[in-house]
């Protein structure tokens, strides 16, 4: 059965104006400015959006699907993130990862949770590895994990410039990056090295050295949390024109913090003249947001959710930025970097991952792979153990 969506103010993510879409078998079958004539007997539904914005489902490349935390003892380990915690905020594709705790959490459990989210209706992939070296893997090899395990698209989040990292050397990072790059070539996957940046003064120097002293392509280095320090963010803006995509984390920032919020970072990145296509925004959903003292002891903590993405989107639109300008860092840019060919855009042949925004720029209807997950702000589909 088919779904006909009419009178959508379509952002694909570029502005297309009022359009009509035909959806079936989990895909967008047709998009047209003219009304689509379909035999009513073939239609499961006809939905008139009356000019409401229709945007691609958000692609969140940094999510602790098994739960993050654990940096102040076992009692601070977070629970796995449930399905509706993504879809409620317009997220239809996620890339899961391990963080600080790659000891009691494993690649096997990460793969299992990734596959569970797929069974529940989300599109999901994962990074192999965690903060530390030698990298946590399932097969014993980063290259083999990427080549042989379908959902694994790259390596992450390897920690650098952070007191929680394994303090990797230049040679260790170079050798690991070469494994990731070759694995991507062999498997036609992203082959990206997703790098956690800490508060350390070395900042992005390890990445600059890899780019200067190896033949590895810039596109494979994807540093994240680059807005956690203002000086680090300036480094990221200088790195992007060379071909690396940098990732901003949509976390809350207090007025006295030496950091930029997701919205502030988006504005400053574009003001810097860096290529717009070299910026992505992720949520760190399910992850711990710790604050440490200068001795490495945790002072306080919070946990991130995918709401950070829609909060950032709404804030930027509230500041007067165009929806077509803001959307790519949450959709198309992410999908292109990660080589997810049917994600991040709305066009015939693409997966039917669709989000309708309300007048507050918040998701009111969310479709993932052709199935309505949220209608009128209410979750129609929940995870197996929700509720």
């Amino acid at each position: 059965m088919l779904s006909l969506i009419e009178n959508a103010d379509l952002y694909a993510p570029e502005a297309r104006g009022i359009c009509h879409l035909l959806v079936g078998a989990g895909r967008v079958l047709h998009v047209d400015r003219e009304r689509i004539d379909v035999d009513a007997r073939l239609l499961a539904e006809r939905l008139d959006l009356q000019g409401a914005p229709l945007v691609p489902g958000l692609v969140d490349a940094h999510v602790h699907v098994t739960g993050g935390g654990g940096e102040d003892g076992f009692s601070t380990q977070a629970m796995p993130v449930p399905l509706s915690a993504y879809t409620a905020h317009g997220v239809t594709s996620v890339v899961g990862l391990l963080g600080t705790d790659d000891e009691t959490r494993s690649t096997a459990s990460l793969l299992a949770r990734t596959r569970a989210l797929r069974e529940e209706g989300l599109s999901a992939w994962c990074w192999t590895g965690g903060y530390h070296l030698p990298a946590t893997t399932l097969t014993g090899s980063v290259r083999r994990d990427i080549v042989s395990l379908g959902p694994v698209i790259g390596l992450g989040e390897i920690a650098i410039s952070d007191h929680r990292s394994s303090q990797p050397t230049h040679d260790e990072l170079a050798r690991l990056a070469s494994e990731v790059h070759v694995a991507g070539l062999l498997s036609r996957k992203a082959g990206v090295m997703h790098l956690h940046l800490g508060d350390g003064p070395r900042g992005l120097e390890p990445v600059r050295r890899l780019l200067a002293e190896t033949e590895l392509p810039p596109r494979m280095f994807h540093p994240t949390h680059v807005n956690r320090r203002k000086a680090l963010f300036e480094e990221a803006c200088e790195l992007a024109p060379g071909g690396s995509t940098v990732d901003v984390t949509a976390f809350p920032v207090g007025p006295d913090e030496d950091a930029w919020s997701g919205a502030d970072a988006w504005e400053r990145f574009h003001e810097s003249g860096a290529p717009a296509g070299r910026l992505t925004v992720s949520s760190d959903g399910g992850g711990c947001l710790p604050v440490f003292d200068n001795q490495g002891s945790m002072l306080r903590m919070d946990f991130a959710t995918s709401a950070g993405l829609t909060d950032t989107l709404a804030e930027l639109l509230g500041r007067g930025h165009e929806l077509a300008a803001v959307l790519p860092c949450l959709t198309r840019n992410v999908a292109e970097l990660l080589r997810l060919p049917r994600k991040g855009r709305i066009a015939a042949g693409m997966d039917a991952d669709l989000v309708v925004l309300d007048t507050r720029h918040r998701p009111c209807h969310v479709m993932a792979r052709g199935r309505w997950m949220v209608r009128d702000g209410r979750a129609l589909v929940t995870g197996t153990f929700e509720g």
Side-chain angles (χ1 to χ4, degrees):
M1 300 296 286
L2 306 175
S3 295
L4 182 59
I5 300 175
E6 299 180 299
N7 297 308
D9 185 10
L10 181 61
Y11 290 84
E14 65 280 359
R16 294 281 303 276
I18 298 298
C19 291
H20 314 278
L21 295 85
L22 187 64
V23 172
R27 302 280 185 89
V28 176
L29 302 178
H30 188 60
V31 180
D32 207 319
R33 289 181 178 273
E34 302 296 326
R35 289 192 176 273
I36 301 172
D37 188 17
V38 183
D39 188 328
R41 292 172 296 180
L42 300 177
L43 287 178
E45 67 169 342
R46 183 191 296 263
L47 177 63
D48 188 345
L49 295 186
Q50 301 179 354
L54 180 68
V55 307
L58 307 187
V59 185
D60 196 344
H62 188 112
V63 182
H64 294 270
V65 294
T66 59
E71 287 137 319
D72 195 30
F74 300 115
S75 62
T76 61
Q77 290 184 340
M79 298 294 289
V81 181
L83 174 71
S84 66
Y86 303 115
T87 55
H89 305 296
V91 174
T92 57
S93 299
V94 298
V95 185
L97 43 68
L98 303 176
T100 312
D101 184 6
D102 47 12
E103 181 66 33
T104 69
R105 290 187 168 105
S106 67
T107 306
S109 62
L110 177 61
L111 272 167
R113 185 62 190 146
T114 299
R115 288 177 170 136
L117 289 171
R118 288 184 174 189
E119 290 178 4
E120 291 174 342
L122 212 63
S123 295
W125 294 266
C126 60
W127 308 100
T128 190
Y131 266 30
H132 307 107
L133 301 184
T136 301
T137 66
L138 182 63
T139 66
S141 159
V142 167
R143 182 167 58 188
R144 196 175 302 123
D145 272 14
I146 297 170
V147 171
S148 302
L149 304 176
V152 177
I153 59 172
L155 174 70
E157 54 176 323
I158 296 295
I160 59 174
S161 302
D162 193 301
H163 67 93
R164 294 164 291 176
S165 79
S166 53
Q167 309 305 319
T169 67
H170 169 75
D171 288 345
E172 286 176 322
L173 288 173
R175 190 165 294 111
L176 199 56
S178 70
E179 294 254 318
V180 176
H181 176 55
V182 171
L185 297 177
L186 294 176
S187 59
R188 200 178 288 174
K189 292 181 181 178
V192 164
M193 194 170 182
H194 188 62
L195 292 160
H196 164 102
L197 266 294
D199 292 325
R202 285 178 293 176
L204 283 164
E205 188 275 333
V207 178
R208 289 196 299 272
R209 189 176 172 194
L210 287 167
L211 292 171
E213 298 183 18
T214 73
E215 297 75 33
L216 294 165
R219 71 161 298 278
M220 70 164 297
F221 298 107
H222 188 219
T224 188
H225 312 320
V226 296
N227 52 321
R228 68 184 307 150
R229 286 193 304 112
K230 293 177 180 179
L232 175 63
F233 186 71
E234 296 305 314
E235 289 186 69
C237 291
E238 294 172 1
L239 189 70
S244 295
T245 299
V246 299
D247 189 56
V248 162
T249 306
F251 49 54
V253 173
D256 299 324
E257 289 187 63
D258 178 30
W260 295 119
S261 69
D264 288 339
W266 186 93
E267 288 184 330
R268 289 178 176 277
F269 185 87
H270 287 78
E271 289 168 1
S272 76
R278 296 296 179 189
L279 179 69
T280 59
V281 178
S282 63
S283 72
D284 206 3
C288 177
L289 301 176
V291 177
F292 297 95
D293 64 19
N294 59 9
Q295 297 298 318
S297 298
M298 192 162 70
L299 301 175
R300 62 183 185 276
M301 66 187 301
D302 198 354
F303 285 91
T305 73
S306 291
L309 299 184
T310 43
D311 288 346
T312 298
L313 176 65
E315 184 171 352
L316 286 167
L317 297 180
R319 295 181 186 185
H321 297 287
E322 295 293 329
L323 185 54
V326 179
L327 276 174
C329 67
L330 300 163
T331 56
R332 184 180 61 206
N333 292 359
V334 195
E336 289 181 352
L337 174 69
L338 302 185
R339 293 180 176 167
L340 307 177
R342 295 200 301 269
K343 302 298 182 183
R345 295 186 296 117
I346 300 176
M350 303 295 286
D351 286 346
D353 296 337
L354 308 173
V355 177
V356 181
L357 300 178
D358 63 19
T359 55
R360 300 176 300 115
H361 314 305
R362 303 288 179 172
C364 58
H365 310 318
V366 180
M367 175 182 282
R369 288 161 35 195
R371 180 186 186 189
W372 288 114
M373 310 297 276
V374 175
R375 288 294 292 266
D376 298 314
R378 184 175 66 89
L380 299 182
V381 182
T382 57
T384 306
F385 297 102
E386 289 190 74

